[in-house]
Each structure stands twice: as C-alpha cells, then as structure tokens.
C-alpha cells in the first residue's frame, strides 16, 4: 500500500496505547518507513482456523467463550478466527508475535478478553479454572524482540489488561511516586506529568522506546537510562490476582509490601517496598504465578541540569580496555546512568535505511564497508560509540565530565564528539531525551535494515570486565558469521554488571532466514552458558533453553519454581511455559522447545482428576 494512504497513527487522546501528539510527525515518518519495507500484505487470513487450545474441544471452547461474553459484555471478548495482521510498533497486534521466529500461527491466541476491573480479572481466572483454558496476560503487549503480546501456548486466551485498565491512580509530588494500572505506557505517564505542570519537578525513567507498559516492562525487569534505570529496583508495591480458586470458590487478590496493612496501607505503599515478612514481589516478575493489576513506581527529582556526551573509539580491539575504564567510573557513579556502548553498525542502521542502501553482498556486512559509510556521518569512522549523560548543575557536571574525558582518552584514537556539531535529527539527541526521562520513538528505525523487519535479542549479563566483554562479543561475532547475519551489539552498563544486547534484525517473512536466526540465538545461548553467562530476558521460543542454563545443583531453582507453580496454580491455567515454568499438566509432554521444531505445541495436557471446585 502506498504510504500516502496510510491511516494516521492513533494519539494518546484516542487510544491508551497511542503516541503523544508531540511525536506524531515522527510516528508518521516511522510508519511510512516501515510500510515501505513491507513486501507482503500486512494482513493474511488464518490458514489453520481458530487456534483452539489443547485439552478442550472446539465446541466446548466456543460455549465457554459465550459464557465469558455474557459475563463481561459482548464487546469485551473477541475471537481470533480471521487473520493475522502485523501492523507496526504503534499499532501492534495483541493476538500473536508480530516478529515471529516460527510460523505466525504458532505463538497465537484463540481469543482476547478485556477486563475493566480487578473483579473482571477474578472472574476471568474463575472461568479459566472451570474450563481449563490457558490464559496469557499482557499489559500493553510491546515486549518486542521477546515475543511481544504472544502467548507461549498456542490458543491461550490473552487477557489484554491495558485496554480498559489504564488509569494513573496517583502521582504523588511530595514523595515522588506514582501508582499505575497495566495499561499506562511510558508515553502516557510522561504526558500526564507534563499536563499537571510537574515536568520541571520530576522525571520518569524510560526505555529506548516509550510505548511499553510501565507495569509490563518493570515486571519483565526492563531497563531505562536515567539513574532510575533498573525498573524493578525502583518499583514499590504490587496488587496481584492469584491464578487459582480457593475452597471458598473465590479468587484471591492481595497487595505486597505496606499495601498489605489492614488500615491506611496506601500511605507508605509506594515509599517502602518491603512491608513485613517475606518479600513476595520477586515471584511475580518474569513468572506465571499471578496477574499484576496495580504497581507503584518511584519518580526521579529533576537533578537541576543534564548534559549528554558521546565518544567514539576507533578500533574493535578497544572494547576490553574501554570496559576496564568504565567499571570503576560506573561503580563510583562518575558515570551516572545506564550508558550504552554501541557498535558502529548500529549507529548506521538506526538512521532507518535498508541494508541494501549500503551493501548488497550476502554474509555479514564487512567492517571496511561499515567504516566507509560511517565516515560520511556525524559520528565519523569508528568501531564503538559511547552515549552517556552527566546530571546536576554545571559545576557538578564539569567535575565528573573532566574525569570521564581524561579516562576515556587513555584509549588511543578516542574522540569526543561535540554535541554542538550534531544536527537536531541526529540519533544522539534521542539518547539525550531518553537519558533525561523523555520517551522517544527513534530506536525502532533499525528494524528497517531488513524488508518486513523483525528483531529478536540475545541478552546475556556479565561483570563489567574487559575479558567478559571480549568473550561475549567474540562468540556473538563467530555465531553471526556462521549464519551470515549482521552483528549489532550494544553494551548497557548497570552498576556492577552489564547487559549485552544483541538484536538480530531479520525478514519476518523469510523462513530460511528465521531458522538461521534461531540457530544463531540458540548457539549463542549455549556458548555463553558454557562460559558462565546467562540471559536476563529472552524470547518465548528460547525460554526453555535459557531456563535450562540456570541449572545449578540439579536444577534446584526450577524445582522450586515448579513447587510454587503447582501450589499457586494447580490447574495450570496461567501463562503455561512462560520463562520455562510449566504447570504439572504440561510437564513431560514435550512442550519444551529445544531448537529446530516446526511446532511449538506438546502432546496434549493432562486432564484434572476428580471434581472441579466450581
Ligand atoms: C534494547 C535494550 C534492552 C533490551 C532489548 C533492547 C535496546 C536495544 C537494555 O535492554 O532488553 C538498542
């Protein structure tokens, strides 16, 4: 479809998941680029029909759906029996993985349900236990590169929490905290703070793209780029609906931390995350133990000034000595935010042009070609680019920046790029906005590297050591070379560890390429595990493999998770398989994905013995 006919991107005034109007021109441009890169129709009719989950007949499933419809209202339950439509970042599907590694009809929902309240969520949980239908809750569904909104088990009923549960319940300008529902995006929270005239007073922390759910991203232990970048560490208080039905026939909802107080818990719910007794929040992140319906989050006071800086490093071999320089600076907070050290190729690809603009060969784009094209950019020819920010008034920043400048210049060929020389549309300024709490839309431009651009990530964590960086970069380079894929690594440096994020960009319609991407990802996970590195997060397709690497003492951790799963969700209805945790009914039936499969399904689920409680 010619871009001029593309409908306008929904804004926050018309959709909870919409774009802030300040970013609408950017969204229009980004959407045009994406649609220009699509070589196949955006929507395709379902080839395999309604994806009914295993363990229930189609007839019984449709009867159950009618029951849910009459309980919640006909508009709040939709069957997924027509088509797969991929859309793009701002108008993404809530039914399947828009960036599939498998066939699009593998990680796919049978229906989507839209609760409007915690009571509705409880009702849905009761319904799922009665009919033994798997549920998959999403907040916004923009967990892109890790499966998006898609369920792990084919035919699960997606609970789209965000569409109707998207209130900002509180922004507390005294305590610098907020309380949000799952449908609040980083964009929406930022806009609301500006609207209330609090923008000069407080910042939010945002990931590279602002369309994600604050709750969803935090539960997935996502990362942002202000000093409040560790989202999980910055949250305070959850409200959770549990997945089982008690002996009294009711579904339990509870609050963690100070929110558990019988009287007045709201006072300190967002100020002190721990409360009394065991700290339970952890088991609801990257898990399938409960449905989070409210979350508290801390907000950052405006530090009184900020200044981005950017350095380039000439040689690939500068990586290890540079990381050694970064570690003490980061631990002592001279480097104050989760900075990014990116490979030059990512600086090129984020301009949003297809790879074919630069190179037509097969195999990874050769370094001399990358360097040649970087020469004519504002960044200049280099191997690595460091993006960081210093906070506080000028005299405070000056002290820190001079230390950083001296230290970085110990690497021969290091160059500080003067921001004053950079045009307003340079990617640097997007990093500048993000590191100062203003959500942006720039990052997704590198998906245009490939036609029908999709991406999946290899995301290992390691100490901030040169030797670790070299080993991880080395194995990624070797495995990308074997599969003929371009390597675009970025090191995101936390306080005492770093996340290496390797996003592989691929053609989502090219099954051969997808198989190479899967092989590359699986080989990197195995290589990393053999060297003592594990991933902090992964794609649905890779969760079993990654969970399997955390196997110390005869898989003691997974045994513990299984114990929790069986206790909290005896019928196994909540997000089976998420993060490698399979309910009893699914275990040992071949649901785990090890690599090379064409189907994501196992051989059935165990029936429940005895009578249903409902
Ligand atoms: C990015 C960052 C991540 C992640 C996936 C993608 C952005 C890449 C720091 O975490 O998990 C440029």
């Amino acid at each position: 479809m010619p871009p001029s006919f593309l409908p306008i991107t929904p804004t926050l005034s018309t959709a909870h998941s919409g774009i802030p109007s300040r970013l609408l021109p950017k969204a229009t441009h980004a959407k045009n680029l994406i649609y220009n890169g699509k070589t196949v129709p955006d929507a395709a009719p379902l080839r395999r029909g309604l994806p009914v989950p295993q363990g229930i007949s189609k007839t019984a499933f449709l009867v159950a759906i009618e029951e849910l419809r009459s309980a919640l209202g006909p508009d709040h339950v939709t069957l997924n029996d027509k088509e797969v439509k991929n859309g793009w970042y701002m108008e993404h599907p809530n039914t399947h993985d828009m960036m599939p590694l498998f066939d699009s009809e593998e990680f796919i929902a049978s229906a989507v349900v839209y609760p409007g309240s915690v009571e509705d969520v409880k009702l849905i949980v009761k319904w799922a236990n009665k009919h033994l239908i798997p549920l998959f809750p999403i907040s916004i569904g923009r967990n892109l590169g890790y499966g998006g909104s898609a369920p792990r088990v084919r035919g699960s009923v997606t609970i789209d929490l965000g569409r109707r549960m998207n209130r900002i319940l509180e922004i507390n300008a005294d305590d610098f905290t907020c309380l949000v529902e799952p449908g609040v995006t980083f964009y929406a929270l930022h806009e609301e703070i500006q609207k209330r005239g609090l923008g000069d007073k407080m910042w939010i922390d945002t990931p590279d793209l602002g369309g994600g759910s604050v709750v969803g991203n935090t539960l997935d232990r996502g990362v942002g780029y202000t000093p409040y970048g560790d989202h999980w560490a910055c949250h305070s208080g959850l409200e959770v609906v549990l997945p089982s039905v008690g002996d009294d026939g009711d579904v339990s909802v509870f609050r963690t931390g100070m929110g558990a107080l019988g009287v007045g818990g709201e006072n300190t719910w967002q100020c002190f995350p721990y409360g009394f007794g065991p700290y339970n929040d952890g088991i609801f992140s990257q898990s399938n133990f409960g449905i989070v319906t409210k979350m508290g989050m801390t907000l950052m006071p405006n530090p009184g000034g900020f200044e981005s800086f950017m350095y380039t490093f000439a040689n690939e071999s500068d990586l290890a000595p540079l990381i050694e320089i970064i570690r003490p600076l980061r631990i002592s907070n001279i480097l104050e935010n989760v900075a990014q050290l990116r490979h030059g190729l990512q600086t090129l690809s984020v301009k949003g042009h297809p790879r074919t603009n630069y190179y037509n060969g097969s195999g990874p784009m050769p370094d001399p070609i990358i360097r040649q094209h970087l020469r004519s950019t504002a960044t200049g020819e280099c191997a690595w680019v460091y993006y960081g920010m210093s906070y506080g008034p000028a005299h405070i920043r000056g002290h820190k920046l001079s230390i950083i400048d001296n230290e970085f210049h110990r690497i021969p060929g290091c160059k500080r790029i003067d921001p004053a020389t950079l045009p307003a549309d340079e990617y640097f300024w997007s990093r500048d906005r993000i590191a100062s709490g203003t959500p942006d839309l720039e990052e997704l431009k590198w998906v245009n590297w490939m036609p029908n651009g999709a991406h999946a990530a290899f995301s290992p964590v390691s100490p901030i050591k040169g030797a670790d960086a070299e080993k991880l970069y080395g194995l990624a380079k070797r495995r990308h070379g074997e599969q003929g894929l371009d390597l675009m690594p970025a090191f995101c440096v936390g306080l005492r560890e770093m996340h290496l994020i390797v996003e592989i960009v691929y053609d989502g319609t090219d099954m051969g390429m997808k198989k190479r991407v899967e092989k590359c990802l699986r080989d990197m996970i195995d290589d990393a595990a053999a060297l003592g590195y594990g991933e902090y997060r992964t794609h649905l397709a890779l969760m079993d493999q990654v969970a399997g690497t955390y196997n110390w003492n005869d898989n003691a951790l997974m045994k513990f998770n299984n114990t929790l799963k069986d206790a909290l969700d005896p019928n196994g209805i909540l997000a089976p398989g998420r993060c490698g945790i399979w309910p009893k009914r699914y275990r040992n039936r071949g649901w785990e994905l090890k690599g090379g499969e064409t189907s994501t399904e196992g051989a059935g689920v165990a029936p429940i013995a005895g009578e249903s409680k409902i």
Side-chain angles (χ1 to χ4, degrees):
M1 183 159 58
S4 54
F5 298 144
L6 287 175
I8 196 159
T9 303
T11 61
L12 278 170
S13 56
T14 57
H16 72 289
S17 61
I19 193 85
S21 41
R22 71 178 168 88
L23 288 175
L24 187 56
K26 197 179 263 194
T28 305
H29 178 64
K31 187 173 179 178
N32 279 336
L33 289 179
I34 299 271
Y35 276 81
N36 275 332
K38 293 197 190 230
T39 63
V40 299
D42 204 20
L46 288 183
R47 285 173 285 105
R48 298 163 64 182
L50 177 72
V52 179
Q54 291 203 33
I56 187 168
S57 72
K58 183 171 177 180
T59 315
F61 177 76
L62 290 173
V63 169
I65 287 288
E66 279 316 310
E67 183 188 313
L68 192 60
R69 270 213 178 110
S70 50
L72 291 175
D75 295 344
H76 304 320
V77 184
T78 53
L79 267 189
N80 185 31
D81 58 353
K82 292 179 189 64
E83 58 177 19
V84 280
K85 184 169 193 280
N86 282 334
W88 72 294
Y89 182 74
M90 286 311 303
E91 293 160 274
H92 65 296
N94 60 8
T95 45
H96 65 285
D97 188 359
M98 70 190 281
M99 298 177 164
L101 279 167
F102 286 90
D103 180 84
S104 291
E105 291 181 48
E106 282 297 322
F107 292 131
I108 189 166
S110 55
V112 185
V113 53
Y114 301 94
S117 65
V118 176
E119 282 309 309
D120 283 356
V121 175
K122 290 168 64 174
L123 186 152
I124 294 161
V125 166
K126 249 187 233 181
W127 171 87
N129 276 282
K130 176 179 167 187
H131 298 285
L132 299 178
I133 291 172
L135 298 173
F136 194 86
I138 60 168
S139 298
I140 288 285
R142 287 200 179 112
N143 191 22
L144 299 182
Y146 298 115
S149 54
R152 171 61 182 83
V153 164
R154 185 168 194 273
S156 298
V157 170
T158 296
I159 311 178
D160 185 335
L161 295 156
R163 181 174 301 182
R164 298 172 66 212
M165 296 172 73
N166 51 44
R167 289 174 301 169
I168 297 170
L169 296 165
E170 189 182 14
I171 295 174
N172 187 319
D174 297 321
D175 298 336
F176 290 80
T177 61
C178 64
L179 181 67
V180 294
E181 292 187 326
V184 177
T185 65
F186 293 94
Y187 288 144
L189 183 58
H190 178 262
E191 285 302 292
E192 184 61 21
I193 287 171
Q194 310 312 305
K195 210 162 87 190
R196 295 191 193 181
L198 294 169
D200 282 344
K201 185 169 178 176
M202 54 174 57
W203 291 5
I204 67 162
D205 184 277
T206 175
D208 294 87
L209 288 164
S213 156
V214 178
V215 171
N217 179 280
T218 302
L219 291 176
D220 237 57
R221 300 199 290 267
V223 173
Y225 299 93
T226 73
Y228 282 40
D230 180 345
H231 293 166
W232 182 253
C234 290
H235 95 285
S236 184
L238 301 177
E239 181 183 86
V240 186
V241 175
L242 290 177
S244 67
V245 181
D247 291 332
D248 57 358
D250 203 11
V251 169
S252 180
V253 47
F254 78 104
R255 292 180 175 180
T256 67
M258 301 308 284
L261 276 180
V263 175
E266 289 86 355
N267 288 338
T268 27
W269 197 15
Q270 273 64 71
C271 300
F272 182 63
Y274 309 126
F276 183 75
Y279 174 63
N280 311 107
D281 293 43
I283 65 166
F284 300 105
S285 81
Q286 288 194 8
S287 84
N288 48 15
F289 298 154
I291 301 170
V292 175
T293 46
K294 290 181 184 67
M295 186 190 76
M297 195 71 186
T298 48
L299 298 165
M300 181 175 148
N302 182 337
F306 61 89
E307 184 175 345
S308 282
F309 55 91
M310 166 170 154
Y311 286 85
T312 64
F313 299 88
N315 310 301
E316 196 178 13
S317 59
D318 294 337
L319 177 64
L322 178 57
I323 294 288
E324 287 295 311
I325 288 171
I326 288 171
R327 183 183 60 257
L329 294 177
R330 185 70 182 98
I331 292 177
S332 60
N333 252 322
I334 297 295
L335 291 170
E336 296 163 273
N337 69 335
V338 172
Q340 283 204 2
L341 179 65
R342 296 189 164 209
H343 191 271
L345 182 57
Q346 204 166 29
T347 298
L348 202 60
S349 62
V350 83
K351 295 191 177 297
H353 307 299
R355 176 188 206 260
T356 47
N357 273 26
Y358 306 99
Y359 184 65
N360 264 312
S362 61
M365 192 162 143
D367 276 337
I369 307 274
I370 300 171
R371 299 180 75 100
Q372 174 210 320
H373 287 291
L374 278 172
R375 218 173 289 151
S376 57
T377 68
T379 314
E381 181 178 337
C382 64
W384 303 98
V385 188
Y386 184 99
Y387 298 92
M389 182 174 275
S390 182
Y391 300 87
H395 65 287
I396 308 253
R397 298 199 304 266
H399 172 71
K400 294 177 283 199
L401 288 168
S402 71
I403 296 174
I404 294 164
D405 195 63
N406 282 332
E407 288 296 304
F408 280 11
H409 272 107
R410 285 166 49 198
I411 309 277
C414 160
K415 275 194 202 134
R416 178 179 173 271
I417 309 289
D418 180 0
T421 66
L422 298 173
D425 64 352
E426 179 65 31
Y427 175 73
F428 172 86
W429 296 115
S430 180
R431 291 243 68 87
D432 182 64
R433 285 185 286 276
I434 290 164
S436 56
T438 301
D440 208 350
L441 187 68
E442 206 66 34
E443 195 64 50
L444 78 111
K445 279 167 119 185
W446 46 250
V447 303
N448 299 303
W449 195 243
M450 285 287 158
N452 313 299
H455 61 94
F458 167 59
S459 317
V461 288
S462 77
I464 313 170
K465 298 260 170 57
D468 297 307
E470 232 164 32
K471 280 189 245 176
L472 286 168
Y473 177 64
L475 72 85
K477 189 161 181 169
R478 188 165 61 250
R479 294 305 190 180
H480 278 63
E482 285 170 9
Q483 303 304 330
L485 300 166
D486 289 327
L487 173 58
M488 299 185 203
F491 289 92
C492 302
V493 187
L495 258 187
R496 280 175 178 75
E497 55 69 44
M498 54 191 182
H499 297 36
L500 166 60
I501 306 293
V502 180
E503 288 278 13
I504 305 182
V505 186
Y506 57 95
D507 180 341
T509 67
D510 181 341
M511 193 49 86
M513 186 170 200
K514 289 198 279 192
K515 287 290 145 205
R516 286 188 285 132
V517 173
E518 187 196 348
K519 175 85 171 101
C520 182
L521 289 166
R522 289 198 183 281
D523 286 346
M524 290 192 294
I525 292 166
D526 284 344
D527 290 352
L531 295 169
Y533 306 109
E535 286 66 43
Y536 94 106
R537 193 173 177 187
T538 200
H539 190 279
L540 289 173
L542 308 169
M543 286 176 170
D544 296 310
Q545 185 187 358
V546 168
T549 65
Y550 287 81
N551 58 4
W552 183 78
N553 197 16
D554 195 19
N555 294 299
L557 177 65
M558 186 52 80
K559 287 175 188 167
F560 176 68
N561 284 334
N562 286 343
T563 303
L564 289 176
K565 184 65 177 165
D566 293 341
L568 293 171
D569 183 14
N571 289 338
I573 54 101
L574 188 61
R578 186 161 202 277
C579 290
I581 303 163
W582 289 98
K584 206 182 221 142
R585 293 174 54 225
Y586 290 75
R587 248 170 256 155
N588 306 316
R589 289 169 173 266
W591 283 87
E592 292 86 355
L593 294 173
K594 298 278 158 60
E597 295 90 352
T598 50
S599 162
T600 59
E601 294 190 274
V605 290
I608 291 285
E611 272 176 53
S612 167
K613 280 197 193 108
I614 304 164

